[in-house]
């Protein structure tokens, strides 16, 4: 069942303090992996504490082949969103299930993923020990730095050889299944104060994520108005 689209989508904020190198002419998989590991605790807390995601984790399930939806069952069931997530019933698919990446020997749990028909908009506040107008100097080009950040926000591609620091948790929570699900972004720069001499290349990022529902269904409608 499709529902009418709305614009009051769920939003959340991630914070990062540390180095953000430019990818330059080649990706920086180790640095991206370190940042990905950094975001895990914030995202796990989001899944554990936000009632919308607690509900999504328990109800975003469809019959194999999508021939039979369990939305009617979900509507008539009194869910305890504070309790443990019930197992997936035989013959059903969990649309929020961890995705195993063999090369990393780790599973990843992306929030914004194709199975839920989602995309994202990012508003990035970028603070660093440089003049606000010096984005393209000293710390590396802006496009290259954003490429490293976007790599960190997504899970590794299961089809590619895994290169990077070892994931700190299994499963590891990420924002995106693929950075192609970033529909648009904006960036605001400013000066980072304190520890300029000791950590000259440090940055502070505030990443405001808006979840955009591309096609509203019974399985993802809990994200509307979150």
């Amino acid at each position: 069942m499709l529902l009418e689209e709305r614009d009051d989508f769920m939003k959340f904020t991630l914070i990062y303090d540390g180095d953000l190198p430019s990818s330059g002419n080649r990706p920086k998989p180790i640095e991206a992996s370190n940042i990905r590991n950094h975001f895990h605790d914030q995202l796990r807390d989001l899944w554990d504490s936000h009632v919308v995601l607690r509900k999504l984790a328990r109800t975003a399930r469809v019959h194999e082949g999508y021939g039979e939806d369990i939305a009617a069952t979900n509507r008539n069931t009194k869910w305890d969103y504070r309790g443990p997530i019930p197992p997936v019933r035989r013959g059903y698919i969990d649309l929020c299930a961890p995705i195993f990446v063999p090369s990393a020997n780790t599973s990843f749990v992306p929030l914004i993923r194709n199975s839920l028909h989602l995309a994202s908009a990012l508003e990035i506040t970028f603070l660093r020990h440089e003049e606000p107008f010096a984005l393209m100097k000293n710390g590396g080009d802006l496009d290259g730095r954003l490429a490293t950040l976007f790599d960190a926000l997504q899970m590794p591609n299961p089809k590619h050889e895994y290169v990077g620091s070892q994931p700190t948790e299994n499963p590891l929570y990420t924002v995106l299944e693929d950075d192609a699900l970033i529909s648009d972004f904006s960036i605001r720069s400013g000066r980072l104060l304190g520890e300029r001499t000791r950590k000259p290349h440090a940055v502070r990022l505030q990443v405001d994520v808006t979840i955009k529902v591309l096609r509203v269904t019974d399985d993802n409608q809990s994200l509307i108005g979150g």
Side-chain angles (χ1 to χ4, degrees):
M1 173 182 177
L2 297 182
L3 304 176
E4 64 178 357
E5 295 193 19
R6 295 169 55 184
D7 294 326
D8 49 339
F9 300 141
M10 178 178 164
K11 299 181 180 181
F12 62 93
T13 299
L14 300 174
I15 301 294
Y16 172 72
D17 290 299
D19 291 340
L20 181 65
S22 170
S23 63
N25 295 325
R26 61 178 61 184
K28 292 287 191 295
I30 293 177
E31 290 81 356
S33 183
N34 288 336
I35 298 171
R36 185 184 299 120
N37 288 337
H38 175 88
F39 284 138
H40 165 81
D41 285 342
Q42 297 175 58
L43 291 164
R44 182 176 58 184
D45 185 39
L46 181 70
W47 278 94
D48 289 344
S49 62
H50 201 298
V51 66
V52 169
L53 295 187
R54 292 204 305 267
K55 179 178 180 181
L56 184 72
R58 291 158 174 78
T59 61
R61 299 170 180 184
V62 295
H63 193 271
E64 289 182 353
Y66 290 68
E68 176 189 343
D69 203 303
I70 63 170
T73 301
N74 291 340
R75 284 195 297 268
N76 296 323
T77 300
K78 293 183 178 180
W79 294 92
D80 180 7
Y81 300 126
R82 296 167 297 180
I85 299 175
V88 180
R89 289 187 294 166
R90 184 177 179 179
Y92 287 83
I93 298 172
D94 181 2
L95 300 181
C96 296
I99 300 173
F100 183 65
V101 177
S103 57
N105 196 31
T106 302
S107 294
F108 296 83
V109 182
L111 169 53
I112 298 166
R113 55 170 76 195
N114 288 300
S115 63
L116 291 171
H117 309 293
L118 303 178
S120 65
L122 307 179
E123 297 177 41
I124 303 167
T125 301
F126 189 164
L127 305 181
R128 73 265 188 259
H129 297 301
E130 299 156 18
E131 297 290 345
F133 49 80
L135 275 173
M136 307 302 289
K137 300 178 181 179
N138 301 327
D141 65 282
L142 177 60
D143 287 348
R145 286 172 135 184
L146 288 178
T148 300
L149 174 62
F150 291 169
D151 280 347
L153 293 175
Q154 68 178 343
M155 59 169 277
N157 191 320
K159 297 180 180 180
H160 295 169
E161 181 179 356
Y162 182 78
V163 179
S165 61
Q166 185 64 29
T168 53
E169 299 287 343
N170 187 9
L172 192 83
Y173 287 79
T174 66
V175 177
L176 303 158
E177 178 180 359
D178 189 312
D179 63 8
L181 299 179
I182 301 173
S183 62
D184 54 89
F185 69 90
S186 63
I187 184 166
R188 182 170 65 91
S189 68
R191 187 192 296 271
L192 179 62
L193 301 176
E195 299 188 297
R196 178 174 57 86
T197 302
R198 192 164 68 89
K199 298 180 179 180
H201 302 301
V203 302
R204 167 167 288 186
L205 301 177
Q206 176 179 308
V207 184
D208 296 314
V209 182
T210 299
I211 300 176
K212 304 177 73 172
V213 180
L214 302 179
R215 189 180 71 174
V216 184
T217 68
D218 283 312
D219 308 302
N220 63 27
Q221 64 175 298
S222 61
L223 292 167
I224 301 295

